[in-house]
Amino acid sequence: MLLPAVLRRVLLVPLTAVILALQSLFPAVAATPTTWYLDCSASHDGTGRHASPWNSLATANAHLFRPGDRLLLKRGATCKGTLKPRGSGTDGAPITLAGYGAGRGRPVVSGDAATTEKAAVHLHNVEQWEIRDLEITFPDSATTRRERNGLLVEIADLPDGVGTHYVVDDVSVHHVDGDATKWSNGIQFRVSGTTRPTNFDDVLVQNSRITAVDREGLTNRTTWMCRPIYGSGDGCGSTVNWRANTGIVFRGNNISDTGGDGIVVRASSHALVEHNTVHDIAMRPMGSNVGIWTINSDDTLIQHNEVHHVRKLPGNGDGQAFDSDYGNNRAVFQYNHSHDNEGGFMLFCGGCGTGSSSHGTVVRYNLSRSDKGRVFDVTKDDNARVHNNTVYLPAGSRTAVVHQRAATTNMVLSGNIFYNLGSGGYSGPKYTPSDFLWNGNTFYGNHPADQPIDAAGNTADPKIENPGGTRPGDYRLTPGSPALRAGGPVAAGATEDYFGSPAPGVCRPDAGFHQLSDFDDGDCPAPDLAIDSGFESGTLAAWSPYGSVGVVTTGTHSGLHAVRVGPAQAAVEQVVQLKTRTRYRLSGYGKVSSAGTQVSLGAKGYDSAGSSTRHVFTGTSYTRGSTTFTTGATSDTARIYCYARSGTGNGYCDDITLKEN
């Protein structure tokens, strides 16, 4: 009989591929889901049924599991070696790996150090799997360490390019004795391969415990990682092959005693990391490590986590609780509690790669308590927003509030409380004050000589409930606090504070991570989003100067100060944080010193086309001018300016405002 062409072709490939091809040809002939049993303490190898379980990982690995099947391991029994099952589930019919039997003990899979396997449980090029209730370990006493993982989920060059639906729930991973590379993990989701772009979709790791592992705790990684914002390092060069992993959720896990990092999100879009407790991290000297961080990802949300006691041993240049590393767009860190971390609270590392950058990191409504080293460690982040955080530094602390290592940055800090009883200030080998804009912050306690100028800030005691306490509630504001309604306006801010109380979107917020005062956004005028827009600080700390410029005390429109720009060409500029797809009006007063001179008040870079708009002043007396613009679909910043365009005289600007229109 002449076989159909498709069957003649599949006969030339391995048996597994034949089976998979037949499954796709005849989807209606689906086997009834079956529960299979594995008891590695059983005396003989059975049929896999409850009364006659398999007794070896080899038997389980040889079986091809089908959609809806369950593989159950005997509680209290230990299987030594690597569980590497075959077969995939389908949408609505995943394959389940879990425990069975009486008692509270978990079934154990313990990797065998005598083998070349790299994981105790290794799902390879399979999908639609749910793993629950297992205990996984991979001890190795060898002097020379090698790659070891507790659970490794790996896909490579999948035909449709997507591995979908993986659940890891209530799993315990411990004593994984890997090497010092980031290929060794408690749990890792890994995309390998170089032929077909591939990514994970729908990954949930929750309610699990990872402890005593080297090097990493819970991570993902991929070979499809190269794009311009990531830079040319890690072998990328000019390659562009970035493919985002989607639907990544790491929730409610407890991670401790790692040699390296706690949780890492790589090359993902809209990943969610929440309600995790990460502590005693980087316990062994294995390079630079952080509690929770994201790299080369878009719109990562890291919230409601507690990170404490991250070590900073020799060779660890980091040691912070959190990190927005390089290649990120719009990472958000909110509602987190950081304390007692040797490297500090937050690392901005956009410039840490070769030719790399990061854009739009937001750090808001967090508590940093008794962190060491430096609260904010900065190595470049374009248009970062740091607002409504509460920072407590005890007496005797030498922790720097801001430490700038290298590279230029652009960061707005508004509405934060710095309760600084220590001696640390604002410094670093590349510290550049003009890289940081301060608006409506509270600076209480010691005031180092390099404390920045904040025209809308204050130095009064914020009157928090119990300074030095160990609970987040100890840092709530109390009635009558000078921090009430003292924060700076924020475009596209959070809708609630650390404790879940509503936060204003229009009205001026309280400073710090707690919103105590009542508000009605409908009764508040739209806030002015320009910082020090009347130049009343007497400095240009909130503005970037170009050419001959200066703050003047004569010839102002109102108040005590205005800005002079000129002779042409000269300007002051400020990057402002905005909402996407929103119309704004930029207004202000301008004049020139002599006829024939022109000065412009304008905005640019508010959409992907780099558009600009301006109002031109040519009169020698102050007049009011304005212009409007609308931000683009992905543009959340604009650059506003006062610019002496032409002529031999000077231009002057004062009382600039930027509001939603």
Side-chain angles (χ1 to χ4, degrees):
M1 181 181 70
L2 182 63
L3 293 173
V6 64
L7 292 183
R8 283 187 276 118
R9 287 195 298 270
V10 300
L11 286 175
L12 300 178
V13 298
L15 178 60
T16 298
V18 174
I19 296 171
L20 292 175
L22 290 171
Q23 285 180 332
S24 66
L25 285 171
F26 306 109
V29 190
T32 301
T34 303
T35 298
W36 303 93
Y37 296 87
L38 172 60
D39 177 4
C40 288
S41 67
S43 58
H44 67 279
D45 204 15
T47 61
R49 304 305 187 185
H50 187 273
S52 179
W54 297 325
N55 75 345
S56 74
L57 293 173
T59 304
N61 292 342
H63 184 78
L64 182 66
F65 294 94
R66 299 179 179 276
D69 280 1
R70 297 192 302 163
L71 172 59
L72 304 184
L73 279 62
K74 181 67 176 294
R75 296 181 185 277
T78 297
C79 295
K80 185 174 182 178
T82 293
L83 176 60
K84 194 173 184 179
R86 301 183 303 139
S88 293
T90 57
D91 188 19
I95 299 171
T96 299
L97 174 60
Y100 81 97
R104 298 174 59 87
R106 299 174 183 267
V108 179
V109 179
S110 180
D112 185 356
T115 70
T116 59
E117 295 289 348
K118 52 191 177 184
V121 178
H122 190 180
L123 301 187
H124 184 261
N125 270 4
V126 298
E127 54 187 328
Q128 295 281 349
W129 275 79
E130 298 186 357
I131 304 175
R132 308 177 191 277
D133 195 32
L134 261 61
E135 180 177 342
I136 303 171
T137 184
F138 204 144
D140 187 349
S141 61
T143 302
T144 301
R145 295 283 187 91
R146 56 177 298 165
E147 178 188 347
R148 301 295 191 197
N149 296 273
L151 168 62
L152 176 61
V153 182
E154 184 178 14
I155 55 177
D157 301 326
L158 293 180
D160 65 354
V162 181
T164 187
H165 190 71
Y166 304 85
V167 173
V168 179
D169 186 13
D170 189 25
V171 168
S172 174
V173 180
H174 63 91
H175 292 95
V176 177
D177 297 326
D179 58 19
T181 72
K182 297 189 178 186
W183 298 97
S184 291
N185 303 263
I187 298 175
Q188 185 172 81
F189 286 79
R190 181 184 302 175
V191 181
S192 303
T194 58
T195 302
R196 182 180 293 274
T198 300
N199 67 277
F200 283 106
D201 177 65
D202 187 14
V203 171
L204 172 62
V205 181
Q206 67 178 4
N207 306 323
S208 295
R209 182 175 181 84
I210 301 172
T211 188
V213 299
D214 288 339
R215 168 179 170 172
E216 311 283 271
L218 170 59
T219 74
N220 75 302
R221 71 180 304 141
T222 178
T223 52
W224 303 95
M225 62 184 181
C226 299
R227 59 176 177 170
I229 195 172
Y230 187 65
S232 59
D234 294 332
C236 283
S238 60
T239 299
V240 178
N241 66 0
W242 189 81
R243 184 176 173 106
N245 295 283
T246 55
I248 304 290
V249 178
F250 297 155
R251 174 186 292 135
N253 304 288
N254 188 299
I255 299 173
S256 65
D257 192 13
T258 63
D261 302 301
I263 296 176
V264 186
V265 172
R266 299 180 176 95
S268 297
S269 176
H270 292 87
L272 175 61
V273 180
E274 64 177 3
H275 298 290
N276 301 283
T277 300
V278 178
H279 60 100
D280 297 292
I281 300 300
M283 299 292 286
R284 291 163 286 283
M286 293 187 169
S288 294
N289 300 283
V290 169
I292 300 176
W293 57 289
T294 181
I295 184 171
N296 197 21
S297 297
D298 291 350
D299 303 292
T300 304
L301 179 57
I302 296 175
Q303 63 179 7
H304 300 294
N305 304 284
E306 181 180 1
V307 180
H308 61 90
H309 291 96
V310 178
R311 302 300 196 270
K312 191 176 182 297
L313 299 176
N316 185 354
D318 299 337
Q320 293 87 358
F322 300 98
D323 168 25
S324 178
D325 219 277
Y326 57 95
N328 286 327
N329 287 307
R330 301 172 300 277
V332 175
F333 297 77
Q334 62 183 13
Y335 316 131
N336 300 293
H337 182 195
S338 166
H339 61 93
D340 301 291
N341 298 292
E342 292 185 356
F345 164 44
M346 185 75 209
L347 171 62
F348 299 84
C349 216
C352 292
T354 304
S356 66
S357 60
S358 282
H359 172 83
T361 298
V362 175
V363 180
R364 63 192 181 194
Y365 289 102
N366 302 284
L367 172 63
S368 168
R369 174 176 62 80
S370 300
D371 284 322
K372 300 176 177 61
R374 54 275 197 205
V375 178
F376 300 115
D377 190 6
V378 183
T379 304
K380 190 178 183 180
D381 196 299
D382 298 327
N383 303 318
R385 287 171 283 174
V386 178
H387 69 89
N388 291 96
N389 302 282
T390 295
V391 175
Y392 174 79
L393 299 173
S397 167
R398 293 182 294 176
T399 300
V401 178
V402 170
H403 179 268
Q404 190 173 10
R405 295 196 216 182
T408 57
T409 193
N410 186 286
M411 181 179 294
V412 177
L413 300 98
S414 63
N416 303 287
I417 292 177
F418 299 103
Y419 199 111
N420 184 6
L421 303 182
S423 59
Y426 307 79
S427 61
K430 297 292 184 179
Y431 181 59
T432 306
S434 61
D435 285 354
F436 304 89
L437 304 183
W438 304 83
N439 188 30
N441 298 280
T442 295
F443 303 89
Y444 176 70
N446 291 332
H447 302 285
D450 52 10
Q451 181 172 299
I453 295 172
D454 186 338
N458 73 84
T459 58
D461 183 351
K463 296 183 179 179
I464 60 180
E465 285 192 8
N466 181 28
T470 59
R471 301 175 300 109
D474 290 326
Y475 296 85
R476 292 177 182 265
L477 299 176
T478 57
S481 167
L484 302 182
R485 301 182 180 90
V490 178
T495 58
E496 62 185 35
D497 72 358
Y498 179 93
F499 300 98
S501 299
V506 178
C507 296
R508 193 167 181 175
D510 298 343
F513 81 144
H514 175 216
Q515 177 68 31
L516 176 62
S517 59
D518 295 329
F519 62 90
D520 184 346
D521 279 336
D523 291 340
C524 293
D528 181 8
L529 299 174
I531 299 174
D532 196 18
S533 53
F535 305 95
E536 292 307 306
S537 69
T539 75
L540 291 175
W543 297 82
S544 299
Y546 302 93
S548 176
V549 302
V551 174
V552 297
T553 57
T554 58
T556 68
H557 173 259
S558 70
L560 299 177
H561 301 93
V563 68
R564 172 192 58 79
V565 292
Q569 290 158 338
V572 293
E573 297 183 349
Q574 183 181 122
V575 175
V576 289
Q577 311 291 332
L578 306 173
K579 299 176 184 177
T580 59
R581 304 177 187 271
T582 303
R583 182 179 173 87
Y584 291 90
R585 179 175 293 275
L586 176 67
S587 304
Y589 291 82
K591 70 175 184 177
V592 297
S593 63
S594 59
T597 299
Q598 294 186 351
V599 64
S600 297
L601 175 65
K604 58 185 178 181
Y606 47 80
D607 59 20
S608 60
S611 301
S612 63
T613 184
R614 66 179 179 266
H615 180 90
V616 179
F617 300 97
T618 58
T620 55
S621 297
Y622 274 114
T623 57
R624 186 176 186 273
S626 67
T627 186
T628 60
F629 62 91
T630 300
T631 53
T634 60
S635 299
D636 56 3
T637 63
R639 189 176 293 270
I640 60 174
Y641 59 85
C642 173
Y643 171 47
R645 302 178 66 228
S646 61
T648 58
N650 296 321
Y652 298 86
C653 292
D654 201 1
D655 298 328
I656 298 168
T657 61
L658 177 65
K659 297 183 177 183
E660 284 191 44
N661 186 36

